[in-house]
Amino acid sequence: MDIDTLKAQHPDHWNKAAALRVLAMDAVQAANSGHPGMPMGMADVATVLFENHLKFDASAPNWADRDRFILAAGHGSMLLYGLLHLTGYADMTIAQIRNFRQMGAITAGHPEYGHASGIETTTGPLGQGLANAVGFAMAEASLAARFGKKIVDHYTYVIAGDGCLMEGISHEAIALAGKQKLNKLIVMWDNNGISIDGKVALSDITDQQTRFAACGWDVFACNGHDPADIDRALTAAKASPRPAMIDCATHIGFGSPAKQDTSGAHGAPLGAEEIAKVREIYGWSHPAFVIPADIKLAWEAIGARGSEARAAWEARKASLSTTKAAEFDRVIAGEAPKKLAAAIRAFKKTISDSAPKIATRKSSEMVLEVLNSVMPETIGGSADLTGSNNTLTKGLGTFDAENRAGRYVYYGIREHGMAAAMNGMALHGGVMPYGGTFLCFTDYARGAMRLSALMGIRTTYVMTHDSIGLGEDGPTHQPVEHLAMLRATPNTHVFRPADTVETAEAWELAATTARTPSVLVLTRQNLPTLRTKHSTRNLSAQGAYVLAEAEGKRRVILMATGSEVEIAMAARDILQAKGIGTRVVSMPCWELFEAQDEAYRRKVLPAGPVRVAVEAGVRLGWDKWLCAERGAAKKAGFVGMDGFGASAPAPALYAHFGITAEATAAAAEALL
């Protein structure tokens, strides 16, 4: 449908969609940076979606039963910002639109969660928004099963581009969604045939409709510039019993005489001269950033349309029992139940008394038995490693199309898709996701894990087989650099517990920390219980603490995490037998230790003694604790890895690479 026909047949629609287009053109031009072509191409689809289908209320952006709209093609962020401004979101002012991509503006280069109301997730890295949306839809289905469709009944809509569908994570996401039959997930593909390099045909021949259908989706198609056809496709998609993909045929840079259907409209301003021509073609005579009052009022009416549905929902929620309503509010707010702390304390006491020798992956399973019993909002899972990750506890049931009340997800071998779906669940609210794989495979989940940290959300990663201690699988599976990589990521709590007590404390912190994701790094090999004296306090919350004090004059401080704390304790015995006073510091979470005040850090790591760190990974990062924090390079040593591992039983590997109590004691003595 050409512009003249569109204006003639659908004048009201045309004016509303044109407002989105000119805001995108003007903001990108003012910033001299951005992507105008996608908003210009998808403005018709977005207008129909918001006007006729999306359930939302601009005056109540956090209404729990709103439909979720995710702009996976985040480079087209001005489409979302324009929608939020025009429909009346209070914080998305015209001043923010004018300051697109400028310092301090909420209109960032790509939509970022937490910057502005109505942004459901951070997008930009392509494919992430699509994969997040699978998690949103899973959370909706889980909550509907728990609280009923009178309280939870909404759709998740996604606008995705060619780049979203080319990224490998997209296949993990759509296959998972198809398997789960997430019928309230609708993806609108901006099929404009253009990427940064030029025609998509330069690099891809995928038949996307057939691909989605093969993954268990229902597939629809429409002319992305014909509002009646768009509405027809959306109506059909909403009635689908399976997830739905709508192939929206569009023109990137719609209406630009020089740049429509070219990569020139993709990632750069159109230019003042071209914008003037587009305005003439559109019949838009208004200055930059000026929206006529009648068009703005029409959009604001769309933004207010959901107020009646919200009021009806609030009445239904008010009819719930006091207990059920309070429970709904609690899980939506992401608050852990009050009984969690007592349950963890009781568990710790039992462990300190019985002192089992078990792998911390098994310790995690034991803690999860407690945590899952008092937190019905948890949804666990594993990337095809359930028996290895120990993430399944009794009574959870399987979450699938036949049992939405189940709380365990079989993600298949989809680490990246799993991590991104968990982010979507956490962002949706009402559920607490956790999922497992091997620590080495954080390489596959890394993109989503970084976004967990950037967004500041409660996503918990259970990463087992944490070192050369996994043994015979060899160096392909033995992580050596992964702890350093994770610790280098801002706003991430990396827990490497030394025993079952520390594992319980790590889980308690993961469940109660609202704005930071947690990574639990767990062993395959058995470890003794080192915390045999019960403490009601969560010592791991301090990040590091004195596990064993020196006898006599303190001359050595041994620092270690996880499985190497046992080695440090044995090295202490060797040194103490020689009259060398040795303190052992367990450091289950560097990030939390760094957050303590200096007085506490000085108490744990005072100046003077020799310091030796022991960890079955690379040294990178350890010098912060060895040489800084009142330490000195000439009195610092490290016992660990400086290369990749090997295939052999764990004891043989530790001996081969010199990660032993004897080597640790010798390193300390050499520095005295």
Side-chain angles (χ1 to χ4, degrees), residues 347 351 356 358-360 363 366-367 498-505 528-529:
F347 176 81
I351 294 300
I358 53 177
T360 52
S363 304
M366 295 165 66
V367 180
D499 65 2
T500 305
V501 175
E502 283 192 359
T503 304
E505 292 179 339
T529 298

Side-chain angles (χ1 to χ4, degrees), residues 35 38-39 71 73-82 100-101 108-111:
H35 301 73
M38 180 275 197
L71 183 66
H75 56 277
S77 58
M78 266 310 306
L79 178 65
L80 178 56
Y81 301 148
F100 175 58
R101 289 192 168 206
H110 294 83

Side-chain angles (χ1 to χ4, degrees), residues 591-614:
E591 297 78 25
L592 289 176
F593 184 53
E594 188 172 7
Q596 304 305 305
D597 59 44
E598 187 179 358
Y600 177 76
R601 299 199 313 273
R602 186 187 304 115
K603 184 178 178 181
V604 175
L605 295 178
V610 160
R611 298 182 187 180
V612 176
V614 195

